[in-house]
Amino acid sequence: FGTPVRILGEHELGEQSIGAKAGWVVGCGTPEEDVPVRIVDDQGRELGEGFLGEIVVGGKSACGGYYAGAEAKSTRFDAGLVYTGDAGFFHRGQLFVLGRMGDSIKVRGRSVYVEDLESKVAEVSGLGKGRVVVVGVPGAGTKGLALFAETQDTGWVADVREMLRRRVGDDVEVTIVVGTGLIQRTSSGKP
């Protein structure tokens, strides 16, 4: 957080987007004036355009908390602001959401988001994105990832393991679980 985002390429959605490889992030548009959106660092200081941080939303439509006090893991409510727990940045005035801060692991000083890894796994394995889930697995002094894949085919495992090694390094332990009935989803489709 607080570091500039490197834009490696960009284009308008359209014909050139068909068949695009994993790794693209689509802008969410420009916030309305009466719904202020800011990006903040770990200490809550506002960051300028092009810097990675947490997305904070305010305005009259921002809720004051969850019904019946149900607490979220990373969403916080303070002084009329909703600290979403989502990582993002502004580019050319548009908001780009990278993923849940809790759904990332630190690798060599940078955050790697499991959504990005899931997209790449789906691409390399040939499985649909909805058939794979990657989760961070903390351990005593180690970092780990677990990949759950809804399939009986294992022909892709070696290629995916090598891709993950290149992405996260040799110091991250990777566990791959293959089978059916592994991925349960919430009513909103989250694993």
Side-chain angles (χ1 to χ4, degrees), residues 37-41 44-48:
V37 178
R38 344 179 278 187
I39 305 296
V40 300
D41 66 12
R45 294 180 299 243
E46 188 167 354
L47 299 169

Side-chain angles (χ1 to χ4, degrees), residues 64-159:
Y66 286 117
Y67 177 72
E71 295 298 322
K73 287 184 180 178
S74 56
T75 304
R76 300 172 319 286
F77 304 91
D78 184 31
L81 298 174
V82 180
Y83 291 77
T84 66
D86 292 315
F89 63 95
F90 279 105
H91 176 66
R92 297 185 190 221
Q94 285 199 48
L95 175 65
F96 288 80
V97 181
L98 295 184
R100 298 293 292 165
M101 293 171 5
D103 294 342
S104 66
I105 63 168
K106 289 279 190 189
V107 177
R108 292 181 296 284
R110 67 182 179 90
S111 292
V112 176
Y113 294 91
V114 296
E115 291 95 338
D116 294 340
L117 295 176
E118 287 171 355
S119 292
K120 197 64 179 168
V121 166
E123 180 183 310
V124 170
S125 69
L127 299 171
K129 190 170 181 217
R131 295 177 59 197
V132 297
V133 171
V134 177
V135 295
V137 180
T142 64
K143 293 181 192 133
L145 289 175
L147 163 62
F148 297 93
E150 291 276 351
T151 183
Q152 294 297 332
D153 175 33
T154 58
W156 51 268
V157 170
D159 292 337

Side-chain angles (χ1 to χ4, degrees), residues 145-149 156-158 160-162 164 174-178:
L145 289 175
L147 163 62
F148 297 93
W156 51 268
V157 170
V160 165
R161 190 176 294 281
E162 175 59 21
L164 289 171
V174 175
T175 302
I176 298 177
V177 181
V178 176

